[in-house]
Amino acid sequence: MASALEILEPTFRKFEKRARLDEGDREAFFSLPYEVHSYDPQRYIVREGDRAPAATIILNGLAYRHKVTVEGARQILSLHIPGDFVDLEGALLTVSDNNVQALTRCQVARVPCAAIISLIDNHARLARAMWIDTLIDASIYREWITNVGRRDALVAMCHLLCEFTRRLEVAGLAHREGYDLPMTQEQLADALGITPVHANRILRDLDARGLIMRDKRFVRVPDWEALRKVAGFNELYLHLDQAAVTPPVGILATVKI
Amino acid sequence: MASALEILEPTFRKFEKRARLDEGDREAFFSLPYEVHSYDPQRYIVREGDRAPAATIILNGLAYRHKVTVEGARQILSLHIPGDFVDLEGALLTVSDNNVQALTRCQVARVPCAAIISLIDNHARLARAMWIDTLIDASIYREWITNVGRRDALVAMCHLLCEFTRRLEVAGLAHREGYDLPMTQEQLADALGITPVHANRILRDLDARGLIMRDKRFVRVPDWEALRKVAGFNELYLHLDQAAVTPPVGILATVKI
DNA sequence: CGTTAGGTTGACTTGATTCAACAACAGTGG
DNA sequence: CCACTGTTGTTGAATCAAGTCAACCTAACG
C-alpha cells in the first residue's frame, strides 16, 4: 500500500488552500492513523443513524450523499470527489442524518474520530481549514436548495453539469470540454428532484439543442459559455478562490471596534 | 445597553451544549468586542458579494437567508432565531454567496472577523462548538434540499412548520401548540419553492383538514402528532441532542487502529 | 443466450403555475 | 374621521411542466 504521504496528499493540498499551514500541521496530518477500504458501486459508506467510529476521506472514485423520505423517494444531496472528507460531521455530531453511497468503485481512508478530534484540538489552523471545507459544503447545499426549488428541470440540469464540470476541473479530474459523468439518469433525477423519465427527456433536449453531446455516459460540452448562460451559473458559491487569505494567528487579537 | 454577559449569554449556552467549555473559553467569549445594531423588517444584514468585516449574532427577532436566481426567483434557504450566528462563514470565507435579511425587526451583535479568528485560533473547544453549529446548519440545509426536491407542497409545508415549531420550542420561544409565524405567505412560498398562490391554497387546505388553525399569522397546531405524521418529520437532523459527548482534549491522541 | 439494468418513447393525468380580479386590513395624510 | 394607498391574502379559470404508467429497446454480463 502507498504511504500516508501519497494517500493523504491531495486532501492536505486542498486544506493548504484554505489556511496557512506550517510544518507541524503537515506532520500531524500525515501522522493520522487510517485504514484503506474499498467499496463497490452502490455500497454504503455511511448510513443514516450510524454512530460513525471513523471519518472517511475519498481517495479515488466518486460517492454521493442522499436521504430517503418516509414515502420512499430518494433525494441526492451532494457528490463527492477524491480528496473530500465525506463525513467529518461523523466525528463531531453524534449520529449521521444521511447516507453516503459509492457512485463508482472507490477507495477511501478511514480515520478514527478520536484521532480527528485530537488533531483539531491541537492544530487550530488545520481545524480552521477543515472547518472552511465544511462551510463550502454548506454553501453548495444552499445552491442545491435553490437549484431544486427555483430552477426548472432543464436549467437545473445545466447548473448541475456546470458545477460538476468545474469541480472536477479544479481537482484535475476532467476537462471543461468533456468527461465521463458516471451517473445513471435515475441518479441525475434524484439529484434534481425529478423523475428519471423527465431527466431522460431533458438530456435529449439538451442534446438536441447542441448544449451537450452524449456518448453513453460521456458528456461533452461543445460550448461551455452557452451552457453556463442557460444555467445562470455563477461559481462564486464554490469558493474556488479560497486561498490562504485569513490572517495569521494572533496578530489581530487586540482589534476593537 | 446591556452587558456582554446578558447579550451573548444565549449563544454561549448553545455552544456549551456542543462541547465541554471551560472558564477560559467563557471569559474569551464574553470578552469579544461587538456593536449592537438594529434592523427593520426586510433590511439586509448580509448581501451576496459582501466581504463582511464582521460576523453577526442575532439577539432578538428573526432573520432569513436567501438567494435570487438570474431569472429573479427568490429561494429562502434558512430561518434564523435569536442566538444564531448568521454569518460565521463571513469570517472564514472571503465573500458571501447569499443574502440575509431581517424577517421581523431584529437586534444583532456584530463581532469583527479578526476577533472571531483570534478566538477560534486560541480556543480549540470553542472553535469546535462553533464548527458543530455550522455542521448542524449544513444538516438542516440537507433536509431542505429533500423538502423542496422530494416532498409535495402540502407535506413540505407541514415539514417546515414542524421544524420551525421544534426549533422555536427548544430555544424557549414558542409552544408546540401555537405560535406567531411572522412570515407572509409569499415568504413561505419562497422557502418551499412554490408560488404564493399555491402556498395560500395549501394553508387553507391544512386548515380545512384540521391540521393547523390560523388567526392572522398565528398558527396553532391542535394535534402535533398528526402534523408530524403528515410531514414525515423526524427531528434527527436537527441534532437537538448534541450535548457535550465529545471526549476531552488530548486523552485519545495516541489511539491507533 | 437469457437476464437485467438502464435508457427511450408515447399517451394520459396531475400538481402547480399563471393571470386576473377582488377582499381585508394597516398606515398615512387631509 | 374618512378617503387613499399599498401590502397581503383569497379565489376561479385556463394552462403548463412534470409525473405516471406502460411498453419496448439496447447493451452488458454471467
Side-chain angles (χ1 to χ4, degrees):
Chain A
M1 185 188 299
S3 73
L5 237 101
E6 288 172 50
I7 294 275
L8 301 177
E9 180 68 31
T11 307
F12 189 77
R13 267 213 313 280
K14 190 173 70 171
F15 290 157
E16 277 185 315
K17 278 195 214 154
R18 317 257 191 253
R20 282 188 199 158
L21 305 178
D22 65 20
E23 210 29 60
D25 296 322
R26 182 184 186 81
E27 209 171 292
F29 189 75
F30 285 114
S31 311
L32 280 174
Y34 65 88
E35 272 178 355
V36 173
H37 287 261
S38 189
Y39 291 89
D40 285 329
Q42 311 314 321
R43 278 279 307 284
Y44 276 80
I45 299 171
V46 179
R47 264 182 200 279
E48 189 167 347
D50 271 3
R51 206 171 278 269
T56 310
I57 299 172
I58 299 196
L59 302 177
N60 55 59
L62 300 168
Y64 63 100
R65 184 183 298 276
H66 75 271
K67 282 195 172 196
V68 178
T69 67
V70 282
E71 293 90 16
R74 178 175 71 166
Q75 175 68 46
I76 292 182
L77 304 165
S78 60
L79 298 172
H80 294 284
I81 65 179
D84 284 2
F85 245 108
V86 295
D87 63 344
L88 247 184
E89 57 268 23
L92 294 168
L93 299 176
T94 45
V95 278
S96 175
D97 55 78
N98 57 194
N99 310 284
V100 179
Q101 235 172 324
L103 179 56
T104 62
R105 177 171 177 72
C106 62
Q107 281 197 305
V108 307
R110 313 207 78 183
V111 183
C113 290
I116 299 280
I117 288 177
S118 164
L119 185 74
I120 66 185
D121 277 340
N122 295 304
H123 296 270
R125 280 158 314 202
L126 201 42
R128 196 161 84 203
M130 292 163 78
W131 186 355
I132 288 173
D133 220 51
T134 63
L135 287 172
I136 293 175
D137 285 346
S139 174
I140 297 175
Y141 292 138
R142 288 195 289 267
E143 189 65 40
W144 279 46
I145 295 174
T146 311
N147 209 35
V148 161
R150 283 296 186 213
R151 288 196 258 263
D152 66 33
L154 187 135
V155 176
M157 179 72 82
C158 291
H159 200 280
L160 182 69
L161 291 174
C162 283
E163 177 184 309
F164 205 44
T165 306
R166 282 295 284 140
R167 287 178 61 206
L168 286 177
E169 196 177 17
V170 167
L173 296 165
H175 265 266
R176 177 168 294 199
E177 304 87 43
Y179 58 93
D180 187 52
L181 179 72
M183 296 175 75
T184 65
Q185 294 181 359
E186 186 176 19
Q187 288 164 339
L188 284 170
D190 284 345
L192 298 175
I194 61 178
T195 56
V197 174
H198 198 46
N200 177 279
R201 294 200 238 259
I202 297 292
L203 286 171
R204 323 217 86 230
D205 190 357
L206 289 179
D207 202 338
R209 293 184 193 207
L211 283 165
I212 60 171
M213 292 162 111
R214 298 179 305 150
D215 180 21
K216 314 231 166 120
R217 290 192 193 156
F218 190 84
V219 176
R220 221 155 64 74
V221 178
D223 182 353
W224 165 260
E225 191 48 39
L227 188 71
R228 220 211 88 259
K229 205 164 178 188
V230 171
F233 180 74
N234 173 356
E235 69 186 33
L236 176 66
Y237 75 97
L238 292 173
H239 296 278
L240 299 174
D241 64 311
Q242 192 71 333
V245 294
T246 41
V249 176
I251 67 161
L252 286 159
T254 58
V255 167
K256 296 274 173 196
I257 49 174
Chain B
M1 186 188 304
S3 72
L5 237 102
E6 289 173 52
I7 294 276
L8 301 177
E9 181 68 30
T11 307
F12 189 76
R13 265 212 314 279
K14 190 172 68 168
F15 289 156
E16 278 185 313
K17 277 196 217 154
R18 316 257 190 253
R20 284 190 196 156
L21 304 178
D22 65 19
E23 212 27 63
D25 296 322
R26 183 183 185 83
E27 209 172 291
F29 190 75
F30 286 114
S31 308
L32 280 174
Y34 66 88
E35 274 178 354
V36 173
H37 289 260
S38 188
Y39 290 89
D40 285 331
Q42 311 313 321
R43 277 279 306 283
Y44 277 80
I45 298 171
V46 178
R47 264 181 200 278
E48 190 169 344
D50 271 4
R51 205 171 278 269
T56 310
I57 298 172
I58 299 196
L59 302 177
N60 56 59
L62 300 169
Y64 63 99
R65 184 183 297 277
H66 74 271
K67 282 196 171 195
V68 178
T69 67
V70 283
E71 294 89 16
R74 178 175 70 167
Q75 176 68 47
I76 292 182
L77 304 165
S78 60
L79 298 172
H80 293 283
I81 66 180
D84 285 1
F85 245 109
V86 294
D87 62 345
L88 248 184
E89 56 269 22
L92 294 168
L93 299 177
T94 44
V95 278
S96 173
D97 55 77
N98 57 192
N99 310 283
V100 179
Q101 236 173 323
L103 178 56
T104 64
R105 178 172 177 73
C106 62
Q107 282 196 306
V108 306
R110 313 208 77 183
V111 182
C113 289
I116 298 281
I117 288 178
S118 164
L119 185 74
I120 65 183
D121 278 339
N122 296 305
H123 297 270
R125 279 159 315 204
L126 200 42
R128 195 162 84 205
M130 293 164 78
W131 186 355
I132 288 173
D133 219 54
T134 63
L135 286 173
I136 293 175
D137 286 345
S139 174
I140 297 175
Y141 292 139
R142 287 195 290 266
E143 190 64 40
W144 279 45
I145 295 173
T146 310
N147 209 34
V148 162
R150 284 295 184 212
R151 288 196 257 262
D152 68 33
L154 188 135
V155 176
M157 180 71 81
C158 292
H159 200 280
L160 183 69
L161 291 174
C162 284
E163 175 184 312
F164 207 42
T165 306
R166 282 297 283 139
R167 286 178 60 204
L168 286 176
E169 196 177 15
V170 167
L173 297 165
H175 266 266
R176 178 169 292 199
E177 305 87 45
Y179 58 94
D180 187 53
L181 179 72
M183 294 174 78
T184 64
Q185 294 181 359
E186 186 176 18
Q187 288 163 339
L188 283 170
D190 284 345
L192 299 175
I194 61 177
T195 55
V197 173
H198 197 46
N200 176 279
R201 295 198 238 258
I202 297 293
L203 285 172
R204 322 217 87 230
D205 191 356
L206 289 179
D207 202 338
R209 294 184 192 207
L211 284 165
I212 61 171
M213 292 165 111
R214 299 178 305 149
D215 180 22
K216 310 226 169 122
R217 291 192 192 156
F218 190 83
V219 176
R220 218 155 65 74
V221 178
D223 182 354
W224 166 261
E225 191 47 41
L227 188 70
R228 218 211 91 258
K229 205 162 176 189
V230 172
F233 181 73
N234 172 355
E235 69 188 34
L236 176 67
Y237 74 98
L238 292 173
H239 296 276
L240 299 173
D241 64 311
Q242 193 70 335
V245 292
T246 41
V249 176
I251 67 161
L252 286 159
T254 56
V255 167
K256 296 274 171 192
I257 48 175

